[in-house]
Amino acid sequence: MSTKSKPKPTSPKPTKPTPPDTIKKIEQVIGDYVYFDDPEMHLLPLTLYVAMTHCFYECFSTVPYLMVSAEDVGFGKSLLLDLLASLSNPSQFLTEMSIATMFEHIDTHHGALFLDEFEEKDKEGLKIINGGYKRGGCVTRKRGKEWVKFSTFCPKGFGLVGHLYRPLMSRCICVFLEQSTPKEEWTPSDLSLSDTEVINPLTVKERDELHDLVISKLPRKEAPQRVTKPRHG
């Protein structure tokens, strides 16, 4: 009488991080390192803003800007912008960039831009940036003998003491920071350390899952094609 061999026990498969878990992870990281007087009002909008940066170029014709403001220095504006840049994709966190270079950067990378100490930027350039919240926003500059068109369309975050001028501020989700102590101590200078789990909390796989999650929720008959762009931050 033949007997069937018992199947070998298999080890449980590792749990796959789901996109909702990724959303929660982003929200937790922001809440751990930045103090908000009302976390419920700030954490979810900032988390969704990060999610939007992963697919805006394929999916949206307009995007909101972000203004991070406080009444003085030392309230965590730079820290928040730096952290958002590390979670967004692709993105750059900058404290110094000419308006002309900014246009070339946006046109090349189609990624989010987080600009600190923005009260010191070129005031005339702000009027041009104001139009970059919608697809088709552009500027024209002369390069040699030719006129070249540069796109200004991308999500942008501005950190400053005080407020933006009114037309640009009307394009923004506004975050006003209060001075206090967050759950975890972390200053912008720590970004040079090798603790990538904090500096760049999302893996490439989690970023791709986040991208696909946002696209899948859009009310479209056909999902837009993925656009492959260089990753920053």
Side-chain angles (χ1 to χ4, degrees):
M1 182 176 179
S2 61
T3 58
K4 295 182 178 179
S5 59
K6 294 182 179 180
K8 295 180 179 180
T10 57
S11 57
K13 294 182 179 180
T15 303
K16 178 182 178 182
T18 61
D21 290 337
T22 304
I23 294 291
K24 292 177 182 177
K25 183 176 181 180
I26 294 171
E27 191 170 5
Q28 180 179 352
V29 169
I30 297 173
D32 282 347
Y33 290 98
V34 182
Y35 170 80
F36 299 101
D37 59 338
D38 188 348
E40 291 185 1
M41 185 175 72
H42 291 92
L43 289 179
L44 183 57
L46 289 172
T47 299
L48 295 179
Y49 196 87
V50 167
M52 179 268 296
T53 67
H54 284 256
C55 64
F56 80 93
Y57 196 73
E58 298 99 319
C59 305
F60 302 109
S61 58
T62 61
V63 294
Y65 289 164
L66 182 68
M67 184 186 80
V68 179
S69 175
E71 62 183 25
D72 203 350
V73 297
F75 280 60
K77 302 181 302 300
S78 300
L79 172 59
L80 177 57
L81 289 175
D82 214 338
L83 185 57
L84 293 176
S86 75
L87 291 162
S88 301
N89 185 57
S91 66
Q92 285 286 307
F93 170 72
L94 302 160
T95 55
E96 294 184 8
M97 175 179 273
S98 69
I99 295 297
T101 304
M102 187 187 306
F103 298 150
E104 294 183 13
H105 176 86
I106 295 171
D107 190 77
T108 301
H109 298 290
H110 304 300
L113 205 57
F114 295 90
L115 304 167
D116 197 16
E117 300 177 7
F118 202 72
E119 61 271 15
E120 300 177 8
K121 298 295 186 292
D122 180 1
K123 302 301 181 183
E124 288 301 314
L126 299 184
K127 297 178 182 179
I128 304 174
I129 292 174
N130 190 46
Y133 74 99
K134 59 183 178 181
R135 190 177 299 277
C138 63
V139 295
T140 304
R141 291 289 182 268
K142 196 168 186 178
R143 293 292 183 267
K145 296 182 179 181
E146 298 182 353
W147 287 92
V148 181
K149 185 180 291 187
F150 295 97
S151 171
T152 59
F153 173 59
C154 77
K156 302 175 186 68
F158 309 104
L160 71 161
V161 173
H163 300 81
L164 295 169
Y165 85 113
R166 190 172 296 277
L168 185 56
M169 187 173 172
S170 69
R171 309 278 189 239
C172 292
I173 298 170
C174 298
V175 177
F176 300 95
L177 296 180
E178 300 289 339
Q179 192 171 38
S180 187
T181 303
K183 296 178 182 178
E184 300 287 345
E185 290 295 334
W186 180 31
T187 61
S189 61
D190 291 332
L191 292 174
S192 60
L193 300 179
S194 59
D195 189 359
T196 56
E197 288 302 314
V198 173
I199 298 171
N200 195 354
L202 299 184
T203 65
V204 172
K205 188 174 183 180
E206 286 175 328
R207 288 170 183 251
D208 289 341
E209 288 175 345
L210 182 60
H211 177 286
D212 294 337
L213 169 68
V214 179
I215 287 181
S216 70
K217 298 299 182 183
L218 294 177
R220 292 172 177 260
K221 294 181 179 179
E222 296 182 2
Q225 295 182 349
R226 178 188 293 271
V227 175
T228 302
K229 300 179 289 297
R231 300 177 184 274
H232 302 274

